[in-house]
């Protein structure tokens, strides 16, 4: 079997940071992956075009194998690889850098546009409830503040990793009054909430939303309380493989995120499960807000066909692996 090409440190370091969640959040993961491919291209010592391409594919595989659920990651890798053009190493290098830069710039622009769409759904004085930490959600809140609206927030802490604390700090910095609650208190507080805002790691062709564990229960509670449930998701969160009948894999993380070592020892022979995401069916979602506008979840399939066609292949597969 042929050995894997040498990878730049930026690729292995980025992959490790994504796997450990030092870099987390679907958009940040995609951005970091594109930057790592650019670093690989810049530093490549390949002497022929095929070796250069093989290096890039190997870098993609390393990045791809870090976290399985956020589809923004394979979508980023596909975008950059599809931008490769040229018959010489220099031309390929240049096109990789351009492609990675274009992807990253699109990401920023898309989030700004999405924020303005999401902000239009919010009214002055609204109380919003958040789950986890989503930069797409924060873009909506920031745009609403820019529109002169005043908002306050009920922020779920989001066990086991408490990403709600990141959201609370960011909102505090924006001078939004924040009430931090334990996840179990969501149903009670929904009585005082006008809008639930969550992000997404992937959106399936039927409009199901795959997001941080606890999202689906929150959606059921919001429906019960009559509170609109909005998903903020750039189109890189749309999973083209679901057009072809695939389901989105749910990442199972280590039990050490749920219980510390001493507690674990005290619990003895029980199983500790730590799925990172769950699936919220479209019937519990009021709107999916993207940079291309707001969609009822059931019509997201049309947008997905328009953007991705039938393009679901993995161009980073090793040569000869089928
Ligand atoms: P943005 C996060 O996953 C959350 O589930 C969040 O809703 C989603 O990524 C989207 O994040 P994790 O990486 O792209 O914390 O909106 O497991 O920033």
């Amino acid at each position: 079997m042929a050995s894997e090409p040498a990878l730049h440190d930026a690729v292995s370091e980025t992959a490790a940071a994504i796997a450990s969640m030092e870099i987390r959040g679907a958009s940040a993961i995609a951005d970091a992956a594109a930057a790592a491919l650019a670093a690989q291209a810049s530093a490549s010592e390949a002497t022929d075009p095929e070796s250069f391409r093989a290096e890039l594919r190997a870098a993609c595989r390393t990045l791809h194998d870090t976290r399985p659920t956020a589809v923004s990651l394979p979508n980023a890798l596909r975008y950059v690889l599809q931008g490769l053009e040229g018959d010489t190493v220099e031309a390929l290098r240049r096109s990789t850098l351009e492609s990675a830069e274009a992807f990253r710039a699109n990401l920023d622009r898309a989030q700004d546009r999405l924020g303005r769409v999401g902000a239009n759904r919010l009214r002055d004085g609204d109380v919003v409830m958040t789950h986890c930490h989503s930069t797409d959600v924060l873009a909506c809140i920031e745009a609403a503040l820019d529109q002169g609206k005043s908002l306050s927030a009920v922020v779920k802490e989001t066990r086991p990793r408490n990403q709600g604390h990141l959201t609370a700090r960011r909102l505090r910095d924006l001078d939004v009054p924040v009430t931090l609650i334990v996840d179990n208190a969501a149903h009670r507080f929904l009585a005082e909430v006008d809008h639930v805002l969550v992000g997404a790691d992937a959106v399936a062709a039927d409009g199901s939303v795959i997001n941080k564990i606890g999202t689906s229960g929150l959606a059921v509670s919001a429906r019960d309380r009559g509170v609109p449930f909005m998903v903020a998701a750039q189109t890189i969160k749309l999973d083209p493989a679901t057009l072809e009948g695939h389901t989105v894999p749910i990442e199972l993380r280590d039990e050490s995120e749920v219980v510390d070592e001493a507690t674990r020892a005290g619990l003895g022979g029980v199983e500790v499960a730590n799925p990172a995401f769950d699936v919220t069916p479209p019937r519990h979602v009021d709107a999916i807000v993207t940079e291309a506008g707001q969609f009822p979840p059931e019509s997201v399939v049309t947008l997905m066909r328009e953007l991705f066609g039938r393009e679901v292949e993995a161009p980073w597969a090793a040569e000869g692996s089928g």
Side-chain angles (χ1 to χ4, degrees):
M1 206 171 96
S3 60
E4 281 284 69
L7 295 183
H8 189 269
D9 284 351
V11 173
S12 22
E13 283 163 13
T14 302
I18 293 173
S20 68
M21 292 181 65
E22 190 189 319
I23 297 174
R24 55 144 298 281
S27 309
I29 290 171
D31 184 63
L37 292 182
Q40 176 70 37
S42 292
S44 173
E45 291 177 4
T47 49
D48 63 276
E50 196 30 58
S51 311
F52 182 93
R53 286 181 181 275
E55 269 182 30
L56 262 272
R57 287 197 299 269
C60 285
R61 289 195 291 279
T62 298
L63 294 161
H64 182 256
D65 292 347
T66 50
R67 294 191 72 194
T69 302
V71 73
S72 52
L73 176 57
N75 282 345
L77 302 175
R78 200 177 291 115
Y79 183 102
V80 176
L81 276 201
Q82 284 171 349
L84 259 71
E85 271 174 21
D87 301 330
T88 65
V89 169
E90 273 326 302
L92 287 170
R93 193 192 319 275
R94 204 169 39 246
S95 60
T96 309
L97 295 177
E98 283 167 6
S99 182
E101 200 180 299
F103 177 83
R104 301 181 73 195
N106 283 342
L107 209 54
D108 287 345
R109 270 197 299 272
Q111 197 165 68
D112 286 350
R113 274 204 294 269
L114 170 155
R116 289 196 291 275
V117 178
N120 292 337
R121 292 182 59 86
L122 303 174
R123 292 158 307 178
D124 188 29
D126 271 358
V127 180
V128 300
M129 181 178 280
T130 64
H131 182 61
C132 200
H133 177 259
S134 156
T135 54
D136 283 351
V137 163
L138 284 162
C140 299
I141 294 175
E142 287 187 51
L145 299 174
D146 287 347
Q147 290 173 352
K149 294 169 184 165
S150 111
L151 302 173
S152 54
V154 178
V155 172
K156 293 179 73 218
E157 62 181 352
T158 320
R159 280 271 290 149
R161 293 184 68 106
N162 292 324
Q163 289 102 322
H165 295 182
L166 298 171
T167 303
R169 281 197 285 272
R170 180 69 193 130
L171 291 175
R172 178 206 61 200
D173 291 347
L174 293 168
D175 292 328
V176 172
V178 169
T179 305
L180 181 72
I181 61 167
V182 296
D183 296 309
N184 296 342
H187 194 262
R188 176 194 164 101
F189 278 87
L190 278 167
E192 303 160 17
V193 162
D194 301 295
H195 235 107
V196 175
L197 309 182
V198 299
D201 295 79
V203 177
D206 70 349
S208 296
V209 172
I210 294 82
N211 192 48
K212 184 55 55 191
I213 190 79
T215 302
S216 61
L218 177 59
V220 171
S221 283
R223 186 49 47 106
D224 182 58
R225 292 285 199 195
V227 179
F229 192 90
M230 166 178 134
V231 176
Q234 293 175 62
T235 55
I236 54 154
K237 318 279 177 70
L238 305 181
D239 187 341
T242 60
L243 285 169
E244 307 256 297
H246 293 286
T247 52
V248 177
I250 300 293
E251 178 179 5
L252 301 175
R253 295 190 61 85
D254 199 81
E255 62 177 30
S256 60
E257 292 183 342
V258 178
V259 275
D260 61 41
E261 232 175 278
T263 311
R264 183 70 187 94
L267 286 170
V270 302
E271 189 184 330
V272 178
N274 185 18
F277 303 101
D278 63 19
V279 182
T280 302
R283 67 180 181 280
H284 290 148
V285 175
D286 290 282
I288 298 180
V289 169
T290 76
E291 73 275 19
Q294 141 183 317
F295 294 83
E298 294 81 4
S299 70
V300 100
V301 63
T302 316
L303 178 65
M304 208 179 264
R305 285 218 182 86
E306 207 176 283
L307 293 174
F308 295 98
R310 296 173 61 82
E311 194 53 79
V312 297
E313 61 193 42
W316 49 84
E319 204 74 328
S321 68

